[in-house]
Amino acid sequence: MVSSSLEELSLMADVLIVGGGMAGAWAATSAAQAGAKVVLADKGYCGTSGVTAAAGPGHWWVPPDPPAARDTAVASRIAAGLGLGETEWMYRILDQTWRTLPTLARYYKFGVDDEGRVNYRAVRGPEYMRALRQQVLDHGVTILDHSPVLELLARSDGSIGGAGGQRRQVGGRAYRIAAGAVVLAAGGTSFLSHLLGSQTNTGDGYLMAAEAGAEMSGMEFTAAYTIAPAHSTMTRSMAYAFATYYDVDGYELDLPFGPEQTVRLARALQRGPVYCSLDRLPDDIKARLHTISPNVPLVFDRWGIDPYRDRFEVTLHNDGTIRGIGGVRVDDVNGATSVPGLFVAGDNASREKVAGAISGGGNVNSAWALSSGVFAGAAAARVARSTKSRSTELSPLGQAGLRPRGRPKDVDKAAARDGVRAEMHPFDKNLFRTGAGLAASSQTLEGFWNEVANHGQASSIALRETAALLATARWSVATAAVRNESRGLHRREDHPVQDARLAGRLLSGGLDRVWVALDRRSAGVQPGQLKAVS
Amino acid sequence: MIELIVAERCTDCGACIEVCPANVLDPGRDGLPVLARVEDCQTCFLCELYCRADAIYVAPDCDRRVAVSTEDVLASGRLGQYRKHSGWDEWAEQFPNEQWLMENVFRRAGEAAAQAKVTSADVIRTK
Ligand SMILES: Cc1cc2nc3c(=O)[nH]c(=O)nc-3n(C[C@H](O)[C@H](O)[C@H](O)COP(=O)(O)OP(=O)(O)OC[C@H]3O[C@@H](n4cnc5c(N)ncnc54)[C@H](O)[C@@H]3O)c2cc1C
Ligand code: SF4
Ligand code: SF4
């Protein structure tokens, strides 16, 4: 740990929640409602941290009446999910979201549309997270802000009994929390792209889960990208639904609104700069854009750009596992992992079962973050109740970036972080993938990983984050290399079509040595399939 | 990235230091928060939203520093713009939260795209 003269802070809880974004805040509420004493620790500030806080999540929302509506929604999502979704899970989150979201009305003023109907599904990020923080506090939860969790702690039987971290606004004071159960809700990662609100999400929850023995699922699906004005973080896509695009010579590009738009935009960006105009946005929306999404017009205004008349340069920022779908494999819909005492929620978990092989952004992700938080919080509270021990005899599990395998020495963090960006962001490497390109990425990442894991001593939070970014990138690249086909977000230039034998989820894991294997429980998997996966 | 805190407006309430998710600010000796780690700023504008004194200016540029002067920012009238348009605090009655319109926009865009497919001859490569 960062050396600090302060004595370690020691706390006890029934349930510890790691991460205070949407999923963590719902998990904390749910665990407290189940009677647990809850501590929530966030790297930043619960209320502004995480990708929800700066955005505006629309939830997957289908009322139970008429019943056919949910059947239709689930059936179409199963079809769109290309064999990786699970019907049962989709019904569960639709139902939970519909029941739970309106209960926030005490803290969040839901919008009323022009016909006077309350709209629950579309909420504004800063207000939503502010409301969730208040709800969490009113439930008696202890919040530790600016307190990144650095590692999990295990009991002698291997079950998870707490976590340790550092209070970065209290002189780097170390803390440890002994708990009956732990919920990881530390979000996904954009591999440090400029995706809005994503800088505290460095994949820490994935690394900590793997160190405890959990496996990942769906890590190949990191090729999601979102448009933003060049040099800005404003990856909010609504206004672009009506965009017109131009190349550098002023010729209009054929980039119609629809599912293929991002890929076509990426190809255009490979050829040169792309400019955009929002002149086709309907006038009534132009007039209200600042009260729909106030941070969107703000960017243009400060740059002196009139987006309805001028053409401005655009770019794409990588979404990684955020609007991608990989994460810790969830064993059952209650958020249990394969490790006793350890639960996951939100983007920290794989969303393949609810989103399929395509992005969960725009609706499913939020419904999942909310529902999985509610499920995991309640389940963790149940486990904590039956686990009498709040043992302080706990072993720390942190490895890379905390405890070097070899002789400690200074590691060039900046180079390693840039290395992750350089493998995970470029279109020719992560969006338009090839076997040869993935092999080269793997080799580069392996080099950085060895450097950090062998020599990185516990000198800073950033080094631990670097280890997490590298671990996540390695799983992603390894899984993408095994999926010798194109499916949903995963696109292989050398295998452009779907392969029916690969209609299953791919698990991955391992720290020193990365492994990939077929999840035999995938709905589409027949016995004897997939010899290709080693 | 955050570029400026206007000293004469800041009331030293400490809110920005607390809410900044990236821990960019430190309490300063003279009371004013210090921009201690601007390179960590994630350009989320949330410090502005929480500053009731409208003292903070975040430039939209996330990958380059820009020169910003207090005089220009004060003259631009943009301080507090995000908090105002968000309808926070004293602005609640004048600026309603219309986030719910978002799905309406996407729906209309989908319809327009479907319509364009049906009716349009190619308009590619016209200026
Ligand atoms: C711009 C944008 C718009 C989006 N819009 C939509 C939408 O309209 N509909 C939709 O369904 N989805 C949308 N999504 C996706 C959706 O926002 C996410 O799926 C959702 O926020 C996930 O919630 P979460 O709590 O898992 O993660 P987050 O909200 O990212 O929260 C993770 C939290 O964990 C904390 N953390 C990280 N590491 C640590 C650590 N080591 N210790 C302690 N805490 C840690 C972080 O600080 C953060 O607070 C959007 C995403 C983006 C980027
Ligand atoms: S929130 Fe505003 S008033 Fe308060 S300390 Fe920060 S800059 Fe000053
Ligand atoms: S813009 Fe966001 S990250 Fe930057 S200083 Fe303000 S709150 Fe912090």
Side-chain angles (χ1 to χ4, degrees), chain A residues 354-442:
Chain A
V354 290
I358 59 167
S359 173
N363 50 14
V364 174
N365 265 7
S366 307
W368 167 254
L370 180 161
S371 307
S372 63
V374 171
F375 299 148
R382 276 197 299 278
V383 165
R385 213 174 300 130
S386 62
T387 314
K388 289 284 165 298
S389 142
R390 295 288 177 275
S391 161
T392 42
E393 295 285 298
L394 297 166
S395 334
L397 297 179
Q399 299 173 37
L402 280 178
R403 298 184 183 84
R405 298 184 288 209
R407 188 174 49 82
K409 63 174 193 203
D410 274 349
V411 171
D412 188 347
K413 291 186 291 279
R417 286 176 169 234
D418 285 344
V420 170
R421 289 193 185 99
E423 300 311 316
M424 302 310 289
H425 295 162
F427 304 137
D428 60 335
K429 292 186 183 173
N430 196 27
L431 180 54
F432 306 119
R433 294 165 165 168
T434 62
L438 291 163
S441 289
S442 163

Side-chain angles (χ1 to χ4, degrees), chain A residues 6-199:
Chain A
L6 297 165
E7 182 202 340
E8 185 179 73
L9 170 72
S10 189
L11 296 173
M12 207 89 91
D14 297 326
V15 174
L16 168 64
I17 314 284
V18 179
M22 188 195 308
W26 280 112
T29 304
S30 160
Q33 283 170 344
K37 178 174 183 290
V38 182
V39 174
L40 180 156
D42 196 277
K43 185 188 284 184
Y45 175 84
C46 171
T48 57
S49 285
V51 290
T52 309
H59 295 68
W60 202 23
W61 181 267
V62 188
D65 209 29
R70 281 193 186 169
D71 297 341
T72 309
V74 169
S76 78
R77 190 76 203 189
I78 286 285
L82 303 171
L84 305 196
E86 303 272 351
T87 308
E88 204 49 46
W89 288 50
M90 293 183 190
Y91 279 109
R92 281 286 298 273
I93 69 164
L94 272 177
D95 194 55
Q96 195 64 47
T97 303
W98 187 81
R99 285 169 196 278
T100 303
L101 192 49
T103 64
L104 198 64
R106 247 187 89 195
Y107 303 98
Y108 184 93
K109 201 164 159 237
F110 287 101
V112 178
D113 68 20
D114 290 341
E115 274 86 56
R117 283 180 308 235
V118 179
N119 180 312
Y120 291 107
R121 67 189 132 192
V123 293
R124 202 189 268 162
E127 289 81 355
Y128 186 35
M129 284 310 307
R130 184 178 59 172
L132 284 173
R133 180 184 177 91
Q134 198 52 54
Q135 173 170 271
V136 163
L137 288 171
D138 285 357
H139 279 77
V141 173
T142 302
I143 297 180
L144 300 182
D145 293 311
H146 295 289
S147 303
V149 172
L150 292 172
E151 60 181 334
L152 294 173
L153 308 173
R155 303 187 189 95
S156 53
D157 63 0
S159 65
I160 297 306
Q166 210 180 82
R167 309 211 66 199
R168 63 182 187 183
Q169 289 195 347
V170 195
R173 183 180 184 185
Y175 71 85
R176 66 156 39 206
I177 300 166
V182 175
V183 179
L184 285 175
T189 183
S190 67
F191 303 104
L192 297 180
S193 79
H194 287 292
L195 185 78
L196 186 62
S198 69
Q199 290 306 290

Side-chain angles (χ1 to χ4, degrees), chain A residues 300-361:
Chain A
F300 299 117
D301 184 54
R302 286 178 192 195
W303 278 340
I305 291 173
D306 177 349
Y308 310 130
R309 208 194 54 218
D310 306 333
R311 294 177 186 179
F312 55 94
E313 194 180 346
V314 291
T315 188
L316 287 170
H317 291 316
N318 181 252
D319 273 87
T321 63
I322 294 169
R323 287 198 190 94
I325 39 197
V328 177
R329 194 265 292 267
V330 203
D331 245 24
D332 67 36
V333 75
N334 290 327
T337 67
S338 55
V339 180
L342 188 63
F343 296 80
V344 277
D347 291 353
N348 207 146
S350 169
R351 279 135 288 147
E352 287 164 296
K353 291 176 181 173
V354 290
I358 59 167
S359 173

